């Protein structure tokens, strides 16, 4: 028996053979296409054919054109708001199901929460347009109750409408991971904390919340990444003020027939989201570490200082370095900082 | 269950979650062409109109062909991954599985344009087969999540006993493993079918000139006069999705009972 067959007969080999059909499928239909759009982003469109000389012109344009920058920032802002709203509203519900619902009823609750998610996305988004409309039920009932005199106009065809609709669509995605991490908490820890004299609130803050953090983090990731690239919601309820980067990617590919630019925007959007999330996770770990070692105020001051510094570079930088230079520099420094934090600062109590 | 502010919040949350799909049938049966309150009276006219729209029937046929193929393909591939994940330790296991699960978090637009660019570059025509390929990629993670539950609940010694009693690995799989994970397989088939039937973005980018049901729906949303019909169609789709889900959930629970385990959560 030679080395190859022996390797294939081992447990690792058998496992690899077993996993290979889906793996090969994902490599062919996910990794290869993703690599292709990265390649495309370095080419340019010449009327009908594609110029295959390597260039970073697309990136320079994407980072310096104010329209692209505005769309990218807006997508990030909307995604951040959606994530915040979804996670904050989902936590109490997940907590309720995990701690207050009888064990045999839990799966019924989870099933009820996931059902709307499985029904047609298109239809749900469209119905939000009906609900939020000028003559829709929200305005109708608010006017009927005499709370407002005129229909609210800030709830449809703008970024707010996109946030409401997306927060609704991604609700189960936030509830499930938080629920799972809450379920894993050993209930005797909570009893111990109460027995040792902690109040109900402090037990929640010092035991339950830190132990639920991995679930919250999973919820943040699973909501924020897909929402940055949403296409349907901005188109249906966003109006012109709620257009996001995915709509621009679509326009580049289908309307303007500039596939390399579309690819560039897609790659940039993904890279920026990945780096922003990396930044966020690294900083949370750093701030928590500071708060434990040096006190909460030092940690808050450090966080505030970094955010203000980033803000200052972002507003002042373009005048000195040019926009592409500023953005790339900022991303590079922030990511380098994140990597350093991951290497040097140990995982905290919250599991982040 | 204690009634308190938390219970109230959860119930309110559930109500808001269901608000859009509860409005759907109201407008589908409303005798007015404008999708707004006040309602005008009861009619089934819009459902009748669905029967008289050939383009819709073509789109439905397309969607069904795609959804059935996706359900079968994704569940087969999911079976391999779920079994590998629960039975074997192998190099780079976490990385490989995370990579296969990646479509779960990746924005669909990214998946769709990368597939489209590759298709265009290879000079291939997009059509049902390309949508099937894209949807399968999207459904594999869900299939794995469901099947992993079935496999990890199964008692491994049953398989070992079959092997000891002289069955081949293949016949063990057919006679022992398959019946035990069958409820999971049915649940996975149904879920993948539902996802594919409702998926819009990938179908929109790759459909060419043969739209699927959601792509057809999207086209109709531009015409205000067609909206009541869209509502009727939406009602049917939602009812169908919910029916499929209830069946899938029943099978999943039956699988858990067969494995002698207590239920600990829903899908995912």
């Amino acid at each position: 028996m030679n080395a190859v067959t022996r390797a294939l007969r081992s447990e690792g080999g058998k496992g690899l053979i077993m996993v290979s059909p889906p793996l090969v499928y994902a490599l062919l239909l996910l990794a290869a296409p993703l690599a292709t759009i990265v390649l495309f982003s370095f080419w340019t469109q010449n009327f009908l054919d594609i110029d295959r000389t390597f260039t970073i012109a697309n990136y320079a344009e994407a980072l310096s054109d104010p329209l692209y920058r505005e769309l990218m920032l807006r997508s990030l802002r909307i995604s951040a708001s959606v994530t915040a709203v979804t996670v904050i509203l989902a936590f109490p519900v997940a907590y309720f199901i995990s701690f207050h619902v009888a064990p045999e009823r839990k799966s019924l609750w989870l099933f009820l929460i996931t059902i709307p998610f499985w029904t047609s996305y298109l239809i749900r988004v469209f119905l939000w347009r009906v609900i939020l409309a000028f003559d829709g039920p929200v305005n109708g009932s608010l006017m009927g109750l005499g709370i407002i005199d005129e229909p609210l106009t800030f709830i449809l065809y703008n970024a707010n409408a996109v946030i409401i609709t997306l927060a609704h669509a991604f609700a189960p995605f936030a509830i499930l991971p938080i629920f799972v991490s809450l379920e894993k908490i050993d209930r005797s820890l909570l009893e111990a904390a109460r027995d040792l004299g902690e109040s109900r609130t402090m037990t929640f803050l010092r035991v339950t919340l830190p132990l639920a953090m991995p679930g919250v983090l999973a919820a943040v990731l699973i909501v924020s990444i897909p929402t940055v690239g949403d296409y349907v919601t901005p188109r249906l309820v966003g109006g012109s003020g709620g257009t996001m980067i995915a709509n621009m990617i679509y326009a580049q590919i289908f309307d303007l027939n500039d596939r390399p630019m579309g690819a560039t925007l897609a790659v940039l959007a993904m890279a920026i989201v990945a780096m922003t999330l990396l930044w966020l996770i690294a900083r949370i770990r750093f701030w928590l570490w500071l708060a434990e070692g040096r006190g909460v105020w030092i940690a808050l001051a450090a966080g505030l200082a970094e955010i203000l510094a980033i803000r200052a570079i972002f507003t002042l930088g373009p005048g000195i370095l040019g926009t592409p230079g500023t953005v790339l520099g900022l991303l590079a420094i922030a990511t380098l900082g994140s990597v350093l934090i991951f290497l040097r600062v140990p995982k905290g109590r919250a599991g982040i | 269950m204690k009634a308190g502010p938390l219970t109230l919040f959860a119930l309110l949350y559930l109500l808001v979650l269901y608000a859009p799909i509860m409005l759907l049938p109201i407008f589908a049966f409303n005798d007015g062409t404008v999708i707004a309150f006040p309602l005008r009276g009861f009619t089934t006219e819009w459902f009748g109109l669905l029967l008289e729209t050939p383009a819709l029937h073509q789109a439905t046929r397309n969607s069904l062909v795609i959804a059935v193929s996706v359900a079968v393909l994704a569940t087969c591939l999911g079976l391999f991954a779920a079994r590998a994940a629960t039975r074997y330790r192998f190099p780079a296991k976490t990385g490989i599985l995370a990579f296969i699960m990646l479509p779960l978090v990746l924005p669909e637009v990214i998946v769709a344009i990368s597939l489209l660019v590759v298709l265009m570059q290879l000079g291939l025509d997009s059509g049902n087969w390309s949508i099937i390929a894209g949807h399968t990629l999207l459904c594999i993670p869900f299939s794995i999540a469901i099947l992993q539950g079935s496999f990890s609940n199964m008692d491994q010694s049953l398989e070992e006993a079959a092997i000891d009693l002289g069955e081949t690995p293949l016949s063990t799989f057919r006679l022992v493993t398959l019946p035990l994970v069958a409820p999971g397989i049915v649940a996975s088939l149904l879920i993948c079918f539902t996802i594919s039937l409702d998926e819009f973005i990938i179908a929109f980018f790759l459909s060419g000139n043969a739209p699927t049901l959601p792509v057809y729906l999207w086209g109709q949303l531009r015409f205000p006069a067609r909206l009541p019909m869209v509502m009727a169609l939406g009602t049917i789709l939602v009812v169908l999705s919910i029916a499929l889900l209830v069946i899938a959930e029943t099978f999943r629970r039956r699988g858990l009972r067969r494995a002698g385990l207590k239920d600990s959560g829903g899908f995912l």
Side-chain angles (χ1 to χ4, degrees):
Chain A
M1 199 159 48
N2 63 29
V4 175
T5 42
R6 208 173 315 131
L8 289 178
R9 293 261 172 97
S10 70
E11 194 196 342
K14 277 187 195 159
L16 279 177
I17 291 172
M18 189 58 86
V19 85
S20 61
L23 177 63
V24 169
Y25 191 85
L27 283 173
L28 282 177
L29 277 111
L30 187 63
L34 287 179
T36 312
I37 60 164
V38 173
L39 198 63
F40 251 73
S41 67
F42 291 108
W43 293 344
T44 40
Q45 184 84 35
N46 267 343
F47 292 112
L48 290 173
D49 56 328
I50 282 166
D51 180 0
R52 298 192 181 181
T53 37
F54 182 90
T55 168
I56 54 164
N58 286 329
Y59 285 95
E61 193 192 332
L63 290 171
S64 51
D65 189 325
L67 175 64
Y68 298 144
R69 196 169 64 237
E70 169 60 25
L71 286 176
M72 193 72 85
L73 285 177
R74 186 190 289 155
S75 304
L76 284 177
R77 258 199 314 270
I78 288 180
S79 165
S81 314
V82 170
T83 311
V85 171
T86 323
V87 172
I88 290 170
L89 290 180
F91 195 93
V93 178
Y95 184 85
F96 168 77
I97 300 173
S98 179
F99 282 81
H100 291 275
V101 173
E104 66 275 10
R105 303 274 294 275
K106 280 181 184 171
S107 64
L108 178 69
W109 268 89
L110 290 178
F111 186 56
L112 282 176
I113 279 168
T114 37
I115 282 184
F117 161 74
W118 297 107
T119 59
S120 174
Y121 183 55
L122 220 53
I123 300 273
R124 270 181 294 147
V125 174
F126 180 75
L127 282 161
W128 274 103
R129 184 154 106 183
V130 175
I131 293 173
L132 299 173
F134 201 68
D135 46 5
V138 170
N139 279 322
S141 48
L142 284 179
M143 287 207 295
L145 290 169
I147 297 171
I148 50 169
D149 297 325
E150 283 175 14
L152 304 172
T153 49
F154 63 86
I155 52 171
L156 188 59
Y157 299 129
N158 55 29
N160 294 333
V162 178
I163 294 172
I164 296 173
T165 310
L166 283 176
H168 177 265
F170 280 86
F173 272 134
I175 292 182
L176 291 175
I178 298 175
F179 170 77
V180 169
S181 65
L182 285 172
E183 279 290 279
K184 280 187 193 150
I185 295 176
D186 187 350
R187 300 299 194 263
S188 55
L189 289 176
L190 306 179
E191 280 168 29
R194 295 300 304 280
D195 287 348
L196 292 169
E198 288 280 35
S199 69
R200 205 177 268 276
T201 321
M202 287 312 281
T203 308
F204 175 79
L205 288 177
R206 296 184 60 177
V207 182
T208 316
L209 202 55
L211 287 172
M213 278 316 272
V216 172
L217 192 66
V220 167
L221 294 181
I222 218 167
V223 174
S224 61
I225 303 174
T227 46
V228 171
D230 195 76
Y231 173 83
V232 174
T233 307
R235 265 304 289 277
L236 283 181
V237 301
S240 61
T243 316
M244 285 163 68
I245 196 71
N247 307 91
M248 183 44 96
I249 295 175
Y250 178 86
Q252 288 291 344
I253 289 180
F254 286 94
D255 304 337
L256 305 171
N257 200 23
D258 189 348
R259 277 178 252 152
M261 195 61 198
T264 308
L265 291 175
V267 172
L268 260 184
M270 280 300 87
I272 290 177
V273 173
M275 287 176 181
T276 312
L277 287 171
L278 195 68
W279 179 86
L280 184 74
I281 297 166
R283 289 318 180 278
I284 289 177
R285 183 190 280 195
F286 182 63
W287 295 332
L288 285 176
W289 175 74
L290 266 187
E292 296 229 320
R294 307 273 157 80
V296 178
W297 293 109
I298 301 275
L300 277 178
L304 205 64
E306 184 172 3
I307 290 169
L308 285 176
I310 289 174
R311 183 111 205 125
I313 296 173
F314 204 77
T315 43
L316 298 175
I320 307 162
L321 295 167
T323 314
T326 312
V327 176
L328 289 180
L330 209 56
L331 283 175
I333 294 172
T335 308
L336 207 68
S338 309
V339 171
L340 263 180
I341 289 173
F342 280 123
L343 289 178
R344 302 303 296 272
V345 180
K347 248 187 191 185
R349 267 193 314 143
I352 292 177
Chain B
M1 205 193 295
K2 275 182 296 181
L6 209 52
T7 317
L8 203 67
F9 178 79
L11 290 173
L12 201 67
Y13 192 94
L14 217 52
L15 188 72
V16 175
L17 217 50
Y18 277 84
I21 53 173
M22 284 192 305
L23 281 178
L24 200 54
I26 296 179
F27 289 117
F29 289 108
N30 179 29
D31 190 10
T33 47
V34 185
I35 304 298
F37 289 105
L39 302 174
R40 294 275 179 76
F42 182 84
T43 180
T44 51
E45 181 193 342
W46 313 122
F47 287 91
L49 209 57
L50 291 178
L51 295 174
E52 297 155 15
T53 318
L56 171 67
H57 301 163
Q58 187 53 47
T60 311
R61 259 197 299 281
N62 269 341
S63 269
L64 288 177
V65 169
I66 292 170
V68 169
S69 322
V70 169
V72 174
L73 256 173
T75 305
C76 288
L77 290 169
L79 266 172
F80 281 103
R83 187 162 169 84
T86 46
R87 279 289 174 275
Y88 301 98
R89 274 176 311 174
F90 50 90
K93 181 175 174 179
T94 325
I96 289 174
L97 289 173
F99 171 64
I100 297 175
M101 299 297 266
L102 194 61
L104 204 58
V105 286
L106 220 51
E108 282 176 28
V109 170
I110 305 285
V111 178
I113 74 148
S114 56
L115 284 173
L116 180 77
V117 164
V118 168
L119 276 183
M120 284 175 159
Q121 208 51 24
L122 294 175
L124 297 168
D125 267 336
S126 47
N128 282 359
W129 69 272
S130 55
I131 303 177
I132 293 173
H135 281 183
T136 304
L137 190 69
L138 214 63
C139 289
I140 291 175
F142 288 96
S143 171
I144 295 177
I146 296 166
L147 291 170
Q148 227 171 353
S150 313
F151 273 117
S152 60
N153 287 336
M154 202 181 71
D155 190 351
Q156 198 171 356
S157 54
L158 292 174
E159 282 179 347
E160 282 159 13
I163 299 268
D164 287 346
L165 292 170
E167 292 289 347
T168 64
L170 208 64
S171 62
T172 306
F173 185 77
R174 192 170 57 82
L175 293 169
V176 179
T177 319
L178 214 51
L180 283 169
V181 293
I185 292 176
V186 175
S188 159
L189 285 171
L190 291 171
I191 291 290
C192 294
F193 181 86
T194 316
I195 295 173
S196 170
L197 199 64
D198 284 339
E199 202 285 334
F200 168 68
I201 292 290
I202 289 179
F204 185 45
F205 276 57
L206 301 180
S207 64
N209 47 13
T212 64
L213 210 45
V215 178
Y216 175 79
L217 258 173
W218 174 262
Q220 300 302 304
L221 289 180
R222 276 178 300 158
F223 309 112
R226 311 295 289 272
L227 289 182
M229 196 186 86
V230 170
M231 294 291 124
L233 183 57
T235 309
I236 295 176
L237 280 178
V238 166
V239 170
L240 189 71
S241 296
I242 293 178
L244 287 175
L245 287 173
V246 172
I247 300 171
E249 171 74 0
T250 319
F251 270 98
R252 199 185 58 83
R253 288 193 187 182
R254 185 177 298 171
L256 285 177
R257 264 207 309 280
R258 202 178 282 184
L261 283 163
K262 279 235 309 232
D263 197 357
S264 59
F267 305 118
L268 293 171

